[in-house]
Amino acid sequence: EAAPDAAGFQLGVATYSLREFQRGLAIRMIAKLGVTRVSVKDFHLPYTSTPAEITKAVSDFKKAGLTIVSGGNTDLKSNDPADLRKYFVYAQACGMPMLVTAPLHENLGAIEKLAKEFDIQIAIHTHGPEDRNFPTPKVVLDAVKGMDPRMGLCMDVGHSMRGGADVVQEIVNAGPRLLDVHFKDLKDGKVKESQCDVGEGVMPVVAIFKQLQKVGYRGSVNLEYEINSDDPLPGMLHSFGYMKGVLAGLAG
């Protein structure tokens, strides 16, 4: 793990990548990837879990040497504060310092209140041109301007690129509002279905990592591997091999 520390940020994995596998198997697969940070999807730690089930799940991750850096992506599309609160109670019980979310513009005020009350960061995820609410980093940054510093951006580099964003420049634009990064690659920067292993597409991986280092980003860069869902491990290993190679090059 020497290179990621030298870069200031660390590589992690969004467990959405392993959505076809139960938690125990997903954790065993993550252990093979040589990363220690996870962003946990509710499939592996359900919102409906009892306190005992949460304790067990969190302990499963911990025993495998994994640190839960966030939960999500979590749909926060309710205008009812009591409904929104349930997700914060869940995140707190799971020891998640951050929720990666897909909210609405009109409920951001209510979410900000809860973020302050629970001291949980809210990283709004960019979902590209199909997303009516938060397609690009600029839309997120405009929406959270002047809000509590816990309100920020989870830049999904693939979806952001498809939305026309210059992903390297957006790291600069976001500054301390960049709370999380979801990483993927595309053969064609406009086509969702062109996702490929990291290093085989048009994503400027080296430039992105250099810029993250330059701005002093301290969060995680979480691989979100959405293809080959029934057998994702070879492509994930390949992607991490490339990402670690880039980090080693920067450290060298």
Side-chain angles (χ1 to χ4, degrees):
E1 281 276 88
D5 286 333
F9 59 88
Q10 288 196 21
L11 302 178
V13 64
T15 73
Y16 178 75
S17 313
L18 302 162
R19 58 199 172 280
E20 299 293 334
F21 304 91
Q22 297 293 347
R23 183 174 66 239
L25 184 53
I27 287 173
R28 287 207 292 282
M29 291 164 89
I30 294 166
K32 294 185 174 143
L33 297 170
V35 292
T36 57
R37 295 178 160 212
V38 284
S39 180
V40 180
K41 185 73 181 158
D42 62 299
F43 179 79
H44 298 113
L45 215 175
Y47 298 129
T48 51
S49 302
T50 63
E53 286 164 346
I54 286 177
T55 303
K56 165 85 171 81
V58 169
S59 142
D60 288 349
F61 283 105
K62 221 177 233 147
K63 268 191 211 136
L66 302 174
T67 301
I68 299 176
V69 290
S70 61
N73 190 17
T74 301
D75 226 33
L76 292 182
K77 292 201 167 52
S78 170
N79 281 308
D80 173 6
D83 193 38
L84 294 172
R85 172 177 285 272
K86 286 190 292 209
Y87 295 100
F88 284 83
V89 171
Y90 159 86
Q92 191 176 55
C94 298
M96 293 169 177
M98 183 192 305
L99 275 174
V100 175
T101 63
L104 300 166
H105 283 269
E106 59 265 30
N107 68 6
L108 282 187
I111 290 172
E112 180 189 25
K113 275 200 185 92
L114 289 160
K116 285 181 180 172
E117 180 189 334
F118 285 85
D119 189 22
I120 287 172
Q121 291 181 304
I122 292 294
I124 301 172
H125 189 290
T126 50
H127 273 113
E130 306 82 12
D131 182 359
R132 291 199 316 277
N133 298 296
F134 295 100
T136 59
K138 183 182 179 348
V139 179
V140 175
L141 295 171
D142 287 349
V144 298
K145 214 184 202 137
M147 284 189 142
D148 187 87
R150 295 175 193 87
M151 302 290 287
L153 167 67
C154 169
M155 179 163 70
D156 181 305
V157 293
H159 296 329
S160 298
M161 179 182 266
R162 288 190 306 105
D166 173 341
V167 288
V168 178
Q169 183 54 42
E170 290 298 355
I171 294 166
V172 183
N173 298 348
R177 293 276 183 195
L178 184 63
L179 301 179
D180 196 15
V181 177
H182 277 185
F183 216 82
K184 50 176 64 87
D185 203 343
L186 302 164
K187 293 265 194 212
D188 180 329
K190 292 270 174 265
V191 182
K192 191 176 188 174
E193 295 69 34
S194 75
Q195 197 183 136
C196 56
D197 293 0
V198 176
E200 294 192 343
V202 295
M203 194 57 64
V205 185
V206 176
I208 289 170
F209 282 13
K210 271 188 178 159
Q211 194 59 262
L212 288 170
Q213 205 173 10
K214 201 171 164 185
V215 300
Y217 177 67
R218 289 279 173 271
S220 289
V221 173
N222 294 317
L223 176 69
E224 189 175 34
Y225 192 78
E226 296 177 339
I227 47 176
N228 310 324
S229 60
D230 55 344
D231 186 23
L233 208 54
M236 291 175 79
L237 281 163
H238 189 230
S239 297
F240 274 123
Y242 184 84
M243 291 160 83
K244 287 174 181 175
V246 170
L247 281 179
L250 292 181

